[in-house]
Short mmCIF file of all heavy atoms in Angstrom, two decimals:
data_model
loop_
_atom_site.label_atom_id
_atom_site.label_comp_id
_atom_site.label_asym_id
_atom_site.label_seq_id
_atom_site.Cartn_x
_atom_site.Cartn_y
_atom_site.Cartn_z
N VAL A 252 -7.42 -12.24 -35.95
CA VAL A 252 -6.06 -12.03 -35.50
C VAL A 252 -6.05 -10.82 -34.57
O VAL A 252 -6.65 -9.79 -34.89
CB VAL A 252 -5.11 -11.78 -36.70
CG1 VAL A 252 -3.71 -11.47 -36.24
CG2 VAL A 252 -5.13 -12.95 -37.66
N VAL A 253 -5.37 -10.94 -33.44
CA VAL A 253 -5.20 -9.82 -32.50
C VAL A 253 -3.71 -9.61 -32.31
O VAL A 253 -2.96 -10.56 -32.11
CB VAL A 253 -5.87 -10.12 -31.15
CG1 VAL A 253 -5.64 -8.97 -30.18
CG2 VAL A 253 -7.35 -10.37 -31.31
N PHE A 254 -3.28 -8.35 -32.38
CA PHE A 254 -1.87 -8.05 -32.16
C PHE A 254 -1.71 -6.73 -31.44
O PHE A 254 -2.65 -5.93 -31.35
CB PHE A 254 -1.10 -8.03 -33.49
CG PHE A 254 -1.53 -6.96 -34.45
CD1 PHE A 254 -0.91 -5.72 -34.47
CD2 PHE A 254 -2.58 -7.19 -35.34
CE1 PHE A 254 -1.32 -4.73 -35.34
CE2 PHE A 254 -2.99 -6.21 -36.23
CZ PHE A 254 -2.36 -4.98 -36.23
N ARG A 255 -0.50 -6.52 -30.94
CA ARG A 255 -0.17 -5.29 -30.22
C ARG A 255 0.39 -4.27 -31.21
O ARG A 255 1.22 -4.60 -32.04
CB ARG A 255 0.89 -5.59 -29.16
CG ARG A 255 1.39 -4.37 -28.42
CD ARG A 255 2.51 -4.76 -27.48
NE ARG A 255 2.97 -3.62 -26.71
CZ ARG A 255 3.99 -3.67 -25.89
NH1 ARG A 255 4.66 -4.77 -25.71
NH2 ARG A 255 4.34 -2.58 -25.22
N ARG A 256 -0.07 -3.04 -31.08
CA ARG A 256 0.46 -1.95 -31.91
C ARG A 256 0.93 -0.86 -30.95
O ARG A 256 0.26 -0.56 -29.96
CB ARG A 256 -0.62 -1.40 -32.83
CG ARG A 256 -0.12 -0.22 -33.67
CD ARG A 256 -1.17 0.26 -34.62
NE ARG A 256 -1.22 -0.66 -35.75
CZ ARG A 256 -2.19 -0.67 -36.66
NH1 ARG A 256 -3.20 0.17 -36.57
NH2 ARG A 256 -2.16 -1.52 -37.66
N THR A 257 2.08 -0.28 -31.26
CA THR A 257 2.62 0.82 -30.46
C THR A 257 2.80 2.03 -31.36
O THR A 257 3.48 1.95 -32.38
CB THR A 257 3.95 0.43 -29.80
OG1 THR A 257 3.75 -0.73 -29.00
CG2 THR A 257 4.49 1.56 -28.94
N GLU A 258 2.17 3.12 -30.97
CA GLU A 258 2.29 4.39 -31.70
C GLU A 258 2.39 5.51 -30.70
O GLU A 258 1.60 5.59 -29.76
CB GLU A 258 1.06 4.63 -32.58
CG GLU A 258 0.91 3.67 -33.73
CD GLU A 258 -0.37 3.92 -34.53
OE1 GLU A 258 -1.29 4.58 -34.00
OE2 GLU A 258 -0.43 3.45 -35.67
N GLY A 259 3.35 6.37 -30.88
CA GLY A 259 3.50 7.53 -29.99
C GLY A 259 3.68 7.16 -28.54
O GLY A 259 3.23 7.87 -27.66
N GLY A 260 4.32 6.02 -28.28
CA GLY A 260 4.55 5.57 -26.91
C GLY A 260 3.36 4.90 -26.26
O GLY A 260 3.40 4.55 -25.10
N ARG A 261 2.28 4.69 -27.02
CA ARG A 261 1.07 4.06 -26.49
C ARG A 261 0.90 2.69 -27.13
O ARG A 261 0.91 2.57 -28.35
CB ARG A 261 -0.13 4.95 -26.80
CG ARG A 261 -1.42 4.51 -26.18
CD ARG A 261 -2.50 5.55 -26.42
NE ARG A 261 -2.82 5.72 -27.83
CZ ARG A 261 -3.82 5.11 -28.46
NH1 ARG A 261 -4.62 4.31 -27.79
NH2 ARG A 261 -4.04 5.33 -29.74
N SER A 262 0.74 1.65 -26.32
CA SER A 262 0.54 0.29 -26.82
C SER A 262 -0.89 -0.14 -26.59
O SER A 262 -1.42 -0.02 -25.49
CB SER A 262 1.47 -0.69 -26.10
OG SER A 262 2.81 -0.39 -26.41
N TYR A 263 -1.51 -0.64 -27.65
CA TYR A 263 -2.90 -1.08 -27.59
C TYR A 263 -3.09 -2.28 -28.51
O TYR A 263 -2.18 -2.65 -29.25
CB TYR A 263 -3.84 0.07 -27.98
CG TYR A 263 -3.56 0.66 -29.34
CD1 TYR A 263 -4.26 0.21 -30.46
CD2 TYR A 263 -2.60 1.64 -29.52
CE1 TYR A 263 -4.00 0.73 -31.72
CE2 TYR A 263 -2.34 2.17 -30.77
CZ TYR A 263 -3.04 1.71 -31.86
OH TYR A 263 -2.79 2.22 -33.10
N LEU A 264 -4.26 -2.91 -28.43
CA LEU A 264 -4.51 -4.11 -29.22
C LEU A 264 -5.40 -3.80 -30.40
O LEU A 264 -6.30 -2.97 -30.33
CB LEU A 264 -5.17 -5.19 -28.35
CG LEU A 264 -4.38 -5.61 -27.12
CD1 LEU A 264 -5.12 -6.72 -26.40
CD2 LEU A 264 -2.96 -6.01 -27.46
N VAL A 265 -5.14 -4.51 -31.50
CA VAL A 265 -5.86 -4.35 -32.75
C VAL A 265 -6.39 -5.70 -33.19
O VAL A 265 -5.67 -6.70 -33.14
CB VAL A 265 -4.94 -3.75 -33.84
CG1 VAL A 265 -5.65 -3.66 -35.17
CG2 VAL A 265 -4.43 -2.39 -33.41
N LEU A 266 -7.63 -5.74 -33.63
CA LEU A 266 -8.27 -6.94 -34.16
C LEU A 266 -8.36 -6.80 -35.67
O LEU A 266 -8.73 -5.74 -36.18
CB LEU A 266 -9.67 -7.09 -33.57
CG LEU A 266 -10.54 -8.24 -34.08
CD1 LEU A 266 -9.98 -9.56 -33.61
CD2 LEU A 266 -11.98 -8.05 -33.61
N THR A 267 -8.00 -7.87 -36.41
CA THR A 267 -8.13 -7.86 -37.86
C THR A 267 -8.86 -9.11 -38.33
O THR A 267 -9.00 -10.08 -37.58
CB THR A 267 -6.76 -7.83 -38.58
OG1 THR A 267 -6.10 -9.08 -38.37
CG2 THR A 267 -5.90 -6.70 -38.10
N ASP A 268 -9.28 -9.09 -39.59
CA ASP A 268 -9.80 -10.31 -40.22
C ASP A 268 -8.65 -11.30 -40.32
O ASP A 268 -7.48 -10.94 -40.15
CB ASP A 268 -10.32 -10.00 -41.62
CG ASP A 268 -11.52 -9.07 -41.62
OD1 ASP A 268 -12.22 -9.00 -40.59
OD2 ASP A 268 -11.74 -8.42 -42.65
N SER A 269 -8.96 -12.55 -40.65
CA SER A 269 -7.92 -13.58 -40.73
C SER A 269 -6.87 -13.27 -41.79
O SER A 269 -5.74 -13.73 -41.71
CB SER A 269 -8.53 -14.96 -40.97
OG SER A 269 -9.24 -14.96 -42.19
N ASP A 270 -7.23 -12.46 -42.79
CA ASP A 270 -6.27 -12.09 -43.84
C ASP A 270 -5.52 -10.79 -43.52
O ASP A 270 -4.76 -10.29 -44.34
CB ASP A 270 -6.96 -11.97 -45.19
CG ASP A 270 -7.99 -10.84 -45.25
OD1 ASP A 270 -8.17 -10.13 -44.23
OD2 ASP A 270 -8.60 -10.67 -46.30
N GLY A 271 -5.75 -10.23 -42.33
CA GLY A 271 -5.08 -9.00 -41.92
C GLY A 271 -5.82 -7.73 -42.31
O GLY A 271 -5.37 -6.63 -42.01
N GLY A 272 -6.97 -7.86 -42.95
CA GLY A 272 -7.75 -6.69 -43.36
C GLY A 272 -8.62 -6.16 -42.24
O GLY A 272 -8.81 -6.81 -41.21
N ASN A 273 -9.16 -4.99 -42.43
CA ASN A 273 -10.07 -4.34 -41.49
C ASN A 273 -9.49 -4.19 -40.09
O ASN A 273 -10.13 -4.60 -39.10
CB ASN A 273 -11.41 -5.07 -41.43
CG ASN A 273 -12.12 -5.06 -42.75
OD1 ASN A 273 -12.17 -4.04 -43.42
ND2 ASN A 273 -12.64 -6.21 -43.15
N PRO A 274 -8.31 -3.61 -39.93
CA PRO A 274 -7.74 -3.43 -38.58
C PRO A 274 -8.61 -2.49 -37.75
O PRO A 274 -8.99 -1.41 -38.20
CB PRO A 274 -6.36 -2.83 -38.84
CG PRO A 274 -6.47 -2.20 -40.19
CD PRO A 274 -7.47 -3.01 -40.96
N THR A 275 -8.95 -2.95 -36.53
CA THR A 275 -9.81 -2.18 -35.63
C THR A 275 -9.19 -2.17 -34.23
O THR A 275 -9.02 -3.24 -33.63
CB THR A 275 -11.21 -2.81 -35.55
OG1 THR A 275 -11.75 -2.92 -36.86
CG2 THR A 275 -12.13 -2.00 -34.67
N PRO A 276 -8.84 -1.00 -33.69
CA PRO A 276 -8.36 -0.96 -32.30
C PRO A 276 -9.46 -1.46 -31.36
O PRO A 276 -10.62 -1.08 -31.50
CB PRO A 276 -8.06 0.52 -32.07
CG PRO A 276 -7.92 1.12 -33.42
CD PRO A 276 -8.83 0.32 -34.31
N ILE A 277 -9.09 -2.33 -30.42
CA ILE A 277 -10.08 -2.85 -29.47
C ILE A 277 -9.76 -2.49 -28.03
O ILE A 277 -10.56 -2.73 -27.14
CB ILE A 277 -10.26 -4.38 -29.60
CG1 ILE A 277 -8.94 -5.12 -29.42
CG2 ILE A 277 -10.90 -4.72 -30.94
CD1 ILE A 277 -9.07 -6.63 -29.33
N THR A 278 -8.57 -1.92 -27.78
CA THR A 278 -8.23 -1.39 -26.46
C THR A 278 -7.55 -0.04 -26.66
O THR A 278 -7.18 0.32 -27.77
CB THR A 278 -7.29 -2.32 -25.66
OG1 THR A 278 -6.01 -2.35 -26.29
CG2 THR A 278 -7.86 -3.73 -25.53
N ASP A 279 -7.36 0.66 -25.54
CA ASP A 279 -6.70 1.97 -25.61
C ASP A 279 -5.41 2.01 -24.81
O ASP A 279 -4.84 3.09 -24.61
CB ASP A 279 -7.64 3.07 -25.13
CG ASP A 279 -7.99 2.94 -23.66
OD1 ASP A 279 -7.52 2.01 -22.99
OD2 ASP A 279 -8.76 3.79 -23.18
N GLY A 280 -4.94 0.86 -24.35
CA GLY A 280 -3.71 0.83 -23.58
C GLY A 280 -3.86 1.41 -22.19
O GLY A 280 -2.89 1.70 -21.52
N GLY A 281 -5.10 1.59 -21.76
CA GLY A 281 -5.34 2.15 -20.44
C GLY A 281 -5.06 3.64 -20.37
O GLY A 281 -4.99 4.21 -19.30
N GLY A 282 -4.88 4.25 -21.54
CA GLY A 282 -4.59 5.68 -21.57
C GLY A 282 -3.16 6.02 -21.18
O GLY A 282 -2.82 7.18 -21.02
N LEU A 283 -2.32 5.00 -21.05
CA LEU A 283 -0.94 5.21 -20.62
C LEU A 283 -0.03 5.45 -21.80
O LEU A 283 -0.17 4.83 -22.85
CB LEU A 283 -0.43 3.99 -19.84
CG LEU A 283 -1.21 3.64 -18.58
CD1 LEU A 283 -0.71 2.33 -18.01
CD2 LEU A 283 -1.08 4.75 -17.55
N VAL A 284 0.94 6.33 -21.61
CA VAL A 284 1.96 6.59 -22.62
C VAL A 284 3.31 6.45 -21.94
O VAL A 284 3.54 7.04 -20.91
CB VAL A 284 1.82 8.02 -23.22
CG1 VAL A 284 2.95 8.29 -24.18
CG2 VAL A 284 0.47 8.17 -23.89
N GLY A 285 4.18 5.64 -22.52
CA GLY A 285 5.51 5.46 -21.97
C GLY A 285 6.03 4.07 -22.26
O GLY A 285 5.28 3.15 -22.57
N ALA A 286 7.34 3.95 -22.18
CA ALA A 286 7.97 2.66 -22.43
C ALA A 286 7.46 1.61 -21.45
O ALA A 286 7.25 1.89 -20.27
CB ALA A 286 9.48 2.80 -22.30
N ASP A 287 7.23 0.42 -21.96
CA ASP A 287 6.83 -0.73 -21.15
C ASP A 287 5.50 -0.54 -20.42
O ASP A 287 5.28 -1.09 -19.35
CB ASP A 287 7.92 -1.11 -20.15
CG ASP A 287 9.21 -1.51 -20.84
OD1 ASP A 287 9.12 -2.16 -21.90
OD2 ASP A 287 10.28 -1.18 -20.34
N THR A 288 4.60 0.28 -20.97
CA THR A 288 3.26 0.41 -20.42
C THR A 288 2.25 0.01 -21.49
O THR A 288 2.60 -0.20 -22.65
CB THR A 288 2.95 1.84 -19.95
OG1 THR A 288 2.98 2.70 -21.09
CG2 THR A 288 3.91 2.32 -18.90
N GLY A 289 1.01 -0.08 -21.10
CA GLY A 289 -0.05 -0.38 -22.05
C GLY A 289 -0.36 -1.85 -22.18
O GLY A 289 -0.01 -2.65 -21.31
N ASP A 290 -1.02 -2.21 -23.26
CA ASP A 290 -1.52 -3.57 -23.47
C ASP A 290 -0.48 -4.41 -24.20
O ASP A 290 0.21 -3.92 -25.10
CB ASP A 290 -2.83 -3.51 -24.25
CG ASP A 290 -3.89 -2.72 -23.51
OD1 ASP A 290 -3.80 -2.64 -22.28
OD2 ASP A 290 -4.77 -2.16 -24.18
N ARG A 291 -0.41 -5.69 -23.81
CA ARG A 291 0.63 -6.56 -24.37
C ARG A 291 0.21 -8.02 -24.30
O ARG A 291 -0.73 -8.37 -23.61
CB ARG A 291 1.92 -6.38 -23.60
CG ARG A 291 1.74 -6.68 -22.11
CD ARG A 291 2.97 -6.53 -21.28
NE ARG A 291 3.32 -5.12 -21.24
CZ ARG A 291 4.51 -4.68 -20.88
NH1 ARG A 291 5.44 -5.51 -20.51
NH2 ARG A 291 4.77 -3.40 -20.85
N GLU A 292 0.92 -8.83 -25.03
CA GLU A 292 0.81 -10.29 -25.02
C GLU A 292 -0.63 -10.79 -25.18
O GLU A 292 -1.13 -11.56 -24.35
CB GLU A 292 1.44 -10.86 -23.75
CG GLU A 292 2.90 -10.49 -23.63
CD GLU A 292 3.52 -10.93 -22.32
OE1 GLU A 292 2.96 -11.83 -21.66
OE2 GLU A 292 4.55 -10.37 -21.96
N PRO A 293 -1.32 -10.39 -26.25
CA PRO A 293 -2.69 -10.87 -26.44
C PRO A 293 -2.72 -12.36 -26.77
O PRO A 293 -1.84 -12.88 -27.46
CB PRO A 293 -3.19 -10.04 -27.61
CG PRO A 293 -1.96 -9.71 -28.39
CD PRO A 293 -0.88 -9.53 -27.36
N ALA A 294 -3.73 -13.05 -26.26
CA ALA A 294 -3.95 -14.47 -26.54
C ALA A 294 -5.43 -14.65 -26.87
O ALA A 294 -6.28 -14.44 -26.00
CB ALA A 294 -3.54 -15.34 -25.37
N LEU A 295 -5.71 -15.01 -28.10
CA LEU A 295 -7.09 -15.19 -28.55
C LEU A 295 -7.62 -16.53 -28.03
O LEU A 295 -6.93 -17.55 -28.09
CB LEU A 295 -7.12 -15.17 -30.08
CG LEU A 295 -8.47 -15.04 -30.75
CD1 LEU A 295 -9.19 -13.77 -30.35
CD2 LEU A 295 -8.29 -15.08 -32.27
N ALA A 296 -8.84 -16.54 -27.51
CA ALA A 296 -9.47 -17.77 -27.03
C ALA A 296 -9.65 -18.74 -28.21
O ALA A 296 -9.82 -18.30 -29.35
CB ALA A 296 -10.81 -17.47 -26.40
N PRO A 297 -9.64 -20.03 -27.96
CA PRO A 297 -9.82 -21.00 -29.05
C PRO A 297 -11.10 -20.79 -29.86
O PRO A 297 -11.11 -21.04 -31.07
CB PRO A 297 -9.84 -22.35 -28.32
CG PRO A 297 -9.05 -22.12 -27.08
CD PRO A 297 -9.37 -20.69 -26.69
N ASP A 298 -12.16 -20.31 -29.22
CA ASP A 298 -13.41 -20.08 -29.95
C ASP A 298 -13.47 -18.67 -30.55
O ASP A 298 -14.47 -18.28 -31.16
CB ASP A 298 -14.63 -20.32 -29.06
CG ASP A 298 -14.71 -19.35 -27.88
OD1 ASP A 298 -13.89 -18.41 -27.78
OD2 ASP A 298 -15.62 -19.53 -27.05
N ALA A 299 -12.41 -17.88 -30.39
CA ALA A 299 -12.26 -16.53 -30.93
C ALA A 299 -13.32 -15.56 -30.41
O ALA A 299 -13.58 -14.54 -31.02
CB ALA A 299 -12.25 -16.54 -32.45
N ARG A 300 -13.87 -15.85 -29.25
CA ARG A 300 -14.89 -14.95 -28.66
C ARG A 300 -14.31 -13.97 -27.66
O ARG A 300 -14.99 -13.02 -27.27
CB ARG A 300 -15.98 -15.77 -27.99
CG ARG A 300 -16.81 -16.56 -28.97
CD ARG A 300 -17.90 -17.31 -28.27
NE ARG A 300 -18.65 -18.10 -29.23
CZ ARG A 300 -19.75 -18.73 -28.93
NH1 ARG A 300 -20.24 -18.68 -27.71
NH2 ARG A 300 -20.37 -19.43 -29.85
N ALA A 301 -13.09 -14.20 -27.23
CA ALA A 301 -12.46 -13.33 -26.22
C ALA A 301 -10.96 -13.31 -26.44
O ALA A 301 -10.39 -14.18 -27.09
CB ALA A 301 -12.78 -13.84 -24.82
N VAL A 302 -10.34 -12.29 -25.87
CA VAL A 302 -8.88 -12.18 -25.89
C VAL A 302 -8.41 -11.86 -24.47
O VAL A 302 -9.00 -11.03 -23.78
CB VAL A 302 -8.39 -11.12 -26.91
CG1 VAL A 302 -8.89 -9.74 -26.56
CG2 VAL A 302 -6.89 -11.15 -27.04
N ALA A 303 -7.38 -12.56 -24.03
CA ALA A 303 -6.74 -12.28 -22.75
C ALA A 303 -5.47 -11.49 -23.06
O ALA A 303 -4.82 -11.72 -24.08
CB ALA A 303 -6.40 -13.57 -22.02
N PHE A 304 -5.14 -10.55 -22.17
CA PHE A 304 -3.94 -9.75 -22.39
C PHE A 304 -3.48 -9.15 -21.07
O PHE A 304 -4.24 -9.07 -20.11
CB PHE A 304 -4.19 -8.63 -23.42
CG PHE A 304 -5.23 -7.63 -23.02
CD1 PHE A 304 -4.87 -6.43 -22.43
CD2 PHE A 304 -6.58 -7.88 -23.25
CE1 PHE A 304 -5.84 -5.50 -22.07
CE2 PHE A 304 -7.55 -6.95 -22.90
CZ PHE A 304 -7.17 -5.76 -22.30
N GLY A 305 -2.24 -8.73 -21.05
CA GLY A 305 -1.72 -8.02 -19.90
C GLY A 305 -1.72 -6.54 -20.15
O GLY A 305 -1.58 -6.09 -21.28
N ARG A 306 -1.93 -5.76 -19.08
CA ARG A 306 -1.85 -4.30 -19.17
C ARG A 306 -0.88 -3.84 -18.09
O ARG A 306 -1.11 -4.04 -16.91
CB ARG A 306 -3.21 -3.65 -18.98
CG ARG A 306 -3.12 -2.12 -19.01
CD ARG A 306 -4.47 -1.46 -18.99
NE ARG A 306 -5.07 -1.58 -20.33
CZ ARG A 306 -6.34 -1.29 -20.57
NH1 ARG A 306 -7.13 -0.90 -19.60
NH2 ARG A 306 -6.81 -1.40 -21.80
N ALA A 307 0.22 -3.21 -18.52
CA ALA A 307 1.25 -2.74 -17.59
C ALA A 307 1.01 -1.28 -17.25
O ALA A 307 0.70 -0.47 -18.12
CB ALA A 307 2.63 -2.92 -18.21
N ASN A 308 1.19 -0.96 -15.97
CA ASN A 308 1.03 0.43 -15.53
C ASN A 308 2.39 1.12 -15.46
O ASN A 308 3.42 0.54 -15.80
CB ASN A 308 0.27 0.50 -14.20
CG ASN A 308 1.02 -0.17 -13.07
OD1 ASN A 308 2.24 -0.34 -13.09
ND2 ASN A 308 0.28 -0.58 -12.04
N LEU A 309 2.41 2.36 -15.04
CA LEU A 309 3.65 3.14 -15.01
C LEU A 309 4.66 2.59 -14.00
O LEU A 309 5.85 2.85 -14.13
CB LEU A 309 3.34 4.60 -14.71
CG LEU A 309 2.57 5.33 -15.82
CD1 LEU A 309 2.14 6.71 -15.35
CD2 LEU A 309 3.37 5.41 -17.09
N ALA A 310 4.20 1.83 -13.00
CA ALA A 310 5.10 1.23 -12.02
C ALA A 310 5.69 -0.08 -12.52
O ALA A 310 6.47 -0.73 -11.83
CB ALA A 310 4.36 0.99 -10.71
N GLY A 311 5.29 -0.50 -13.74
CA GLY A 311 5.80 -1.75 -14.31
C GLY A 311 5.02 -2.98 -13.89
O GLY A 311 5.39 -4.09 -14.23
N GLU A 312 3.94 -2.78 -13.17
CA GLU A 312 3.10 -3.90 -12.75
C GLU A 312 2.13 -4.23 -13.88
O GLU A 312 1.60 -3.35 -14.54
CB GLU A 312 2.30 -3.53 -11.50
CG GLU A 312 3.18 -3.11 -10.35
CD GLU A 312 2.41 -2.38 -9.26
OE1 GLU A 312 1.38 -1.76 -9.56
OE2 GLU A 312 2.87 -2.43 -8.12
N SER A 313 1.91 -5.53 -14.07
CA SER A 313 1.01 -5.96 -15.14
C SER A 313 -0.17 -6.71 -14.55
O SER A 313 -0.01 -7.49 -13.61
CB SER A 313 1.77 -6.86 -16.12
OG SER A 313 1.00 -7.12 -17.25
N ARG A 314 -1.34 -6.46 -15.09
CA ARG A 314 -2.57 -7.15 -14.66
C ARG A 314 -3.18 -7.85 -15.86
O ARG A 314 -3.14 -7.35 -16.98
CB ARG A 314 -3.55 -6.15 -14.09
CG ARG A 314 -2.99 -5.38 -12.93
CD ARG A 314 -4.04 -5.09 -11.91
NE ARG A 314 -3.47 -4.25 -10.87
CZ ARG A 314 -3.30 -4.67 -9.63
NH1 ARG A 314 -3.65 -5.86 -9.28
NH2 ARG A 314 -2.79 -3.85 -8.73
N LEU A 315 -3.80 -8.99 -15.58
CA LEU A 315 -4.45 -9.78 -16.61
C LEU A 315 -5.87 -9.25 -16.84
O LEU A 315 -6.60 -8.97 -15.90
CB LEU A 315 -4.52 -11.25 -16.19
CG LEU A 315 -5.21 -12.20 -17.15
CD1 LEU A 315 -4.43 -12.29 -18.45
CD2 LEU A 315 -5.36 -13.56 -16.52
N HIS A 316 -6.23 -9.12 -18.10
CA HIS A 316 -7.58 -8.69 -18.50
C HIS A 316 -8.12 -9.68 -19.53
O HIS A 316 -7.36 -10.27 -20.29
CB HIS A 316 -7.54 -7.29 -19.15
CG HIS A 316 -7.14 -6.21 -18.23
ND1 HIS A 316 -8.05 -5.44 -17.56
CD2 HIS A 316 -5.92 -5.76 -17.86
CE1 HIS A 316 -7.40 -4.56 -16.81
NE2 HIS A 316 -6.12 -4.73 -16.97
N VAL A 317 -9.43 -9.83 -19.54
CA VAL A 317 -10.10 -10.64 -20.56
C VAL A 317 -11.18 -9.76 -21.19
O VAL A 317 -11.99 -9.17 -20.48
CB VAL A 317 -10.73 -11.92 -19.96
CG1 VAL A 317 -11.46 -12.70 -21.04
CG2 VAL A 317 -9.65 -12.78 -19.31
N LEU A 318 -11.16 -9.68 -22.51
CA LEU A 318 -12.07 -8.82 -23.25
C LEU A 318 -12.97 -9.68 -24.13
O LEU A 318 -12.49 -10.46 -24.94
CB LEU A 318 -11.26 -7.85 -24.12
CG LEU A 318 -12.03 -6.88 -24.98
CD1 LEU A 318 -12.75 -5.85 -24.10
CD2 LEU A 318 -11.07 -6.16 -25.92
N ASP A 319 -14.29 -9.55 -23.93
CA ASP A 319 -15.27 -10.23 -24.78
C ASP A 319 -15.32 -9.48 -26.11
O ASP A 319 -15.59 -8.29 -26.14
CB ASP A 319 -16.64 -10.19 -24.09
CG ASP A 319 -17.72 -10.88 -24.88
OD1 ASP A 319 -17.88 -10.57 -26.08
OD2 ASP A 319 -18.42 -11.71 -24.29
N LEU A 320 -15.04 -10.16 -27.21
CA LEU A 320 -14.96 -9.48 -28.50
C LEU A 320 -16.33 -9.11 -29.07
O LEU A 320 -16.41 -8.25 -29.94
CB LEU A 320 -14.17 -10.33 -29.48
CG LEU A 320 -12.68 -10.46 -29.12
CD1 LEU A 320 -11.98 -11.42 -30.06
CD2 LEU A 320 -12.00 -9.11 -29.11
N ALA A 321 -17.39 -9.70 -28.56
CA ALA A 321 -18.74 -9.33 -29.03
C ALA A 321 -19.18 -7.99 -28.43
O ALA A 321 -19.81 -7.19 -29.10
CB ALA A 321 -19.74 -10.41 -28.69
N THR A 322 -18.82 -7.76 -27.18
CA THR A 322 -19.26 -6.54 -26.48
C THR A 322 -18.14 -5.53 -26.26
O THR A 322 -18.41 -4.40 -25.88
CB THR A 322 -19.83 -6.91 -25.10
OG1 THR A 322 -18.78 -7.48 -24.30
CG2 THR A 322 -21.00 -7.86 -25.22
N LEU A 323 -16.89 -5.96 -26.46
CA LEU A 323 -15.69 -5.16 -26.16
C LEU A 323 -15.68 -4.67 -24.72
O LEU A 323 -15.22 -3.59 -24.38
CB LEU A 323 -15.54 -3.98 -27.13
CG LEU A 323 -15.28 -4.40 -28.57
CD1 LEU A 323 -15.10 -3.18 -29.44
CD2 LEU A 323 -14.08 -5.33 -28.70
N ARG A 324 -16.19 -5.54 -23.82
CA ARG A 324 -16.15 -5.29 -22.38
C ARG A 324 -15.42 -6.41 -21.69
O ARG A 324 -15.43 -7.49 -22.06
CB ARG A 324 -17.55 -5.19 -21.81
CG ARG A 324 -18.25 -3.97 -22.29
CD ARG A 324 -19.65 -3.89 -21.67
NE ARG A 324 -20.21 -2.60 -21.91
CZ ARG A 324 -20.33 -1.67 -21.01
NH1 ARG A 324 -19.97 -1.88 -19.77
NH2 ARG A 324 -20.84 -0.51 -21.31
#
């Protein structure tokens, strides 16, 4: 399971086991702090090997990223 977490104005993605255990941050939100910035809308690949997500910058522009979950690159 991958979900978005927001703490201290920073939004990043967290990976957990299927039961919600072992939460592990997998992104840093691009180091951005502020409303409507950071990582959002994660979509796990059907084979669970990658996650696609948007990352919004301070100008409100969002870019698509794909993260390989084996390498976290």
Side-chain angles (χ1 to χ4, degrees):
V252 176
V253 178
F254 64 92
R255 176 185 183 185
R256 178 177 282 168
T257 302
E258 293 178 341
R261 187 173 63 96
S262 294
Y263 57 95
L264 302 183
V265 176
L266 176 69
T267 69
D268 295 337
S269 61
D270 65 0
N273 298 316
T275 304
I277 57 171
T278 68
D279 66 359
L283 300 173
V284 176
D287 298 323
T288 63
D290 300 334
R291 58 180 68 197
E292 301 175 20
L295 193 60
D298 64 5
R300 293 182 182 188
V302 62
F304 62 96
R306 177 173 284 169
N308 63 23
L309 293 172
E312 302 164 333
S313 189
R314 302 215 185 247
L315 179 65
H316 294 265
V317 178
L318 180 68
D319 180 309
L320 293 175
T322 64
L323 295 182
R324 292 181 168 254

